[in-house]
Amino acid sequence: AQTVTQSQPEMSVQEAETVTLSCTYDTSESDYYLFWYKQPPSRQMILVIRQEAYKQQNATENRFSVNFQKAAKSFSLKISDSQLGDAAMYFCAYRVLNSGYALNFGKGTSLLVTP
Amino acid sequence: DSGVTQTPKHLITATGQRVTLRCSPRSGDLSVYWYQQSLDQGLQFLIQYYNGEERAKGNILERFSAQQFPDLHSELNLSSLELGDSALYFCASSVGGGSQETQYFGPGTRLLVL
């Protein structure tokens, strides 16, 4: 079974600071995709960033970047210059290439941003 | 706004009843996915349709069914509802349904079964 583990149920960061959210996954596959989704209080699921497992370069989207360690099966999300609007639940998700189409989600990390 | 629409936003019903949730994918997207988000189970994949055909099934109960219509909108039917079916139901869409594609989520339908 493929599992995604987010070991931090809650995290807190001060505005303008940097925070890293952890995610590990378990798979025997070599080709897959990893995603971070954000769920603010509105409950909308918003894609933050995605990473293809075959790419060694870590993905970056503005203030959001990932640290992808394939051998360690680790996929952490770094948020730089945190803003109040970043407060949300963050979900790590995994999807195997050419083998099923569903996203497998972790349990989520609740991020609190303090002024 | 992801471009995926879901109706209704909220639904309150009683045990034993049947409800239908509706989803319209983004313009041009052929694939629709249904997910259930509950406190105890987290986010779980239910079912996927591609261009009107069922493509993949997840943890969908036999009391639940779905379909995708020729205009590509999809409906999720939940019957013989139980208290434990109370959850947020998301629809997501992607262009072709390939595993390399990003899924874009709708705002969800919050179902409360009393």
Side-chain angles (χ1 to χ4, degrees), chain A residues 24-89:
Chain A
T24 59
Y25 55 94
D26 184 20
T27 182
S28 57
E29 301 292 334
S30 58
D31 291 323
Y32 48 88
Y33 293 84
L34 295 161
F35 304 85
W36 279 97
Y37 279 88
K38 168 185 177 181
Q39 188 176 41
S42 67
R43 306 304 290 250
Q44 175 84 43
M45 292 290 287
I46 303 166
L47 176 69
V48 175
I49 200 165
R50 62 175 271 166
Q51 173 79 43
E52 292 82 358
Y54 64 85
K55 287 187 179 178
Q56 294 187 343
Q57 187 172 7
N58 290 324
T60 299
E61 287 289 341
N62 301 313
R63 298 182 295 106
F64 298 87
S65 61
V66 300
N67 184 3
F68 174 48
Q69 302 288 328
K70 191 171 184 178
K73 296 180 184 176
S74 170
F75 182 60
S76 61
L77 175 69
K78 185 170 85 171
I79 306 174
S80 304
D81 186 25
S82 296
Q83 300 175 0
L84 294 177
D86 294 334
M89 184 73 81

Side-chain angles (χ1 to χ4, degrees), chain A residues 89-104:
Chain A
M89 184 73 81
Y90 286 82
F91 292 94
C92 177
Y94 158 99
R95 191 179 191 191
V96 177
L97 178 66
N98 296 328
S99 177
Y101 305 90
L103 285 165
N104 297 287

Side-chain angles (χ1 to χ4, degrees), chain B residues 42-70:
Chain B
L43 268 158
Q44 286 196 106
F45 168 69
L46 296 179
I47 197 164
Q48 179 202 3
Y49 276 80
Y50 173 75
N51 203 22
E53 299 289 327
E54 181 185 305
R55 174 170 275 187
K57 257 185 176 178
N59 298 322
I60 188 166
L61 300 172
E62 285 191 9
R63 300 183 286 108
F64 296 0
S65 65
Q67 58 185 133
Q68 187 178 27
F69 295 85

Side-chain angles (χ1 to χ4, degrees), chain B residues 3-42:
Chain B
V4 179
T5 60
Q6 290 187 247
T7 57
K9 287 186 180 178
H10 299 94
L11 202 46
I12 302 175
T13 189
T15 55
Q17 295 299 304
R18 172 189 169 95
V19 297
T20 297
L21 313 182
R22 182 188 169 104
C23 167
S24 292
R26 295 185 318 159
S27 178
D29 284 1
L30 299 178
S31 198
V32 168
Y33 311 77
W34 286 97
Y35 291 86
Q36 178 195 59
Q37 184 178 28
S38 62
L39 283 175
D40 53 344
Q41 298 291 330

